[in-house]
Amino acid sequence: MIEKQGRAYMFLLENILYKNILHIDKMEIPANQITCIVGESGAGKSTLLKLLNSMLSADSGSIYYQDKNLEDVDPVHHRRRVVMLAQQPTIFEGTIRENLNIGLVFSEKKPKEDHELIKAMAVVHLNKNLDEDAGTLSGGEKQRLALARVYLMEPEVYLLDEPTAALDEETEEVVIGNFIKKVKEKDQSLIMITHSQKIATKYGDYMITLEKRVV
């Protein structure tokens, strides 16, 4: 961990340039906190998450995770520790059970028992039969299925890109509230892009506001 003025930071970004999208002189993201990223469309919020996940590489500058430069870290190994969920999650052919376990397969972890899968679905307020075809789910149900999938992977850090954008406000608050409660219980870290100022204010321990770059 990077210690700054008595506070532990898990990510440190310095002099980051990425195309004409992001220009970050310095950014510190604390460990074991709920960090919410807000800002207008086109400000680079999703790009920032992809940089933190090593899905993209900055044109210049350095990104450190737990004081190691990501340029020196195997990106596959990093993505198993820092798991990202895109705004439009991938749903694979097969059952809900198979979709929940596939993240564990990719991470070379043992699949979970059915009772554990059901508990994960309960966290995201998804009441479905594990044998049901995942392709038949609605957009909001698919988002929650994908959120349960990354929850089961138990990473050090969750990177969530508007994970409940397809849900109504009431359901969104229940799902986010449940998920964050579990993250805090396990002393994990969560970095989340949200369109909801209400969610960011209520649940965020730390907030990052990105502004669209003027060129």
Side-chain angles (χ1 to χ4, degrees):
M1 249 10 124
I2 303 163
E3 293 287 346
K4 292 283 186 179
Q5 297 177 348
R7 191 174 189 180
Y9 288 90
M10 66 180 170
F11 278 106
L12 172 63
L13 294 79
E14 294 182 322
N15 303 314
I16 294 297
L17 284 175
Y18 184 80
K19 303 188 184 300
N20 289 322
I21 301 172
L22 281 178
H23 180 191
I24 299 171
D25 292 327
K26 188 172 185 178
M27 180 184 290
E28 298 165 328
I29 302 178
N32 311 116
Q33 300 285 313
I34 308 302
T35 298
C36 290
I37 302 174
V38 298
E40 63 182 315
S41 179
K45 300 185 297 296
S46 296
T47 299
L48 175 58
L49 282 199
K50 291 175 182 178
L51 288 170
L52 299 179
N53 189 236
S54 291
M55 290 182 67
L56 294 176
S57 297
D59 297 327
S60 62
S62 301
I63 301 175
Y64 299 89
Y65 175 65
Q66 295 184 349
D67 75 11
K68 292 184 179 179
N69 193 320
L70 289 188
E71 290 185 356
D72 302 324
V73 177
D74 175 24
V76 174
H77 177 69
H78 178 68
R79 290 183 201 125
R80 288 173 178 169
R81 301 171 68 193
V82 180
V83 172
M84 180 173 173
L85 177 61
Q87 187 175 350
Q88 299 296 330
T90 300
I91 300 298
F92 299 88
E93 288 188 13
T95 64
I96 288 175
R97 179 187 292 104
E98 290 168 332
N99 267 267
L100 288 171
N101 271 320
I102 201 164
L104 296 165
V105 173
F106 291 155
S107 298
E108 299 182 347
K109 294 181 179 179
K110 184 179 177 181
K112 300 286 188 180
E113 299 289 337
D114 281 2
H115 70 93
E116 295 175 287
L117 302 181
I118 291 169
K119 283 183 179 179
M121 287 198 298
V123 171
V124 299
H125 208 56
L126 182 63
N127 184 18
K128 291 289 179 178
N129 191 304
L130 291 171
D131 293 317
E132 188 171 334
D133 182 354
T136 66
L137 299 178
S138 69
E141 288 170 339
K142 287 177 179 177
Q143 271 199 326
R144 282 178 279 167
L145 173 61
L147 187 58
R149 182 168 64 212
V150 298
Y151 172 77
L152 286 162
M153 294 171 71
E154 298 185 316
E156 296 169 7
V157 185
Y158 296 97
L159 302 176
L160 308 181
D161 190 348
E162 299 209 29
T164 52
L167 305 181
D168 62 77
E169 186 175 336
E170 183 178 350
T171 306
E172 177 182 39
E173 185 150 349
V174 170
V175 171
I176 290 297
N178 284 350
F179 194 90
I180 287 176
K181 179 182 178 182
K182 295 297 183 181
V183 169
K184 285 181 173 289
E185 285 176 358
K186 296 179 180 181
D187 204 28
Q188 297 165 314
S189 302
L190 186 154
I191 303 171
M192 175 176 65
I193 296 172
T194 178
H195 61 282
S196 171
Q197 191 67 41
K198 180 181 177 182
I199 292 290
T201 302
K202 183 172 182 178
Y203 295 107
D205 300 314
Y206 188 77
M207 193 176 301
I208 293 171
T209 302
L210 294 182
E211 296 180 357
K212 193 171 183 178
R213 193 177 179 205
V214 178
V215 294

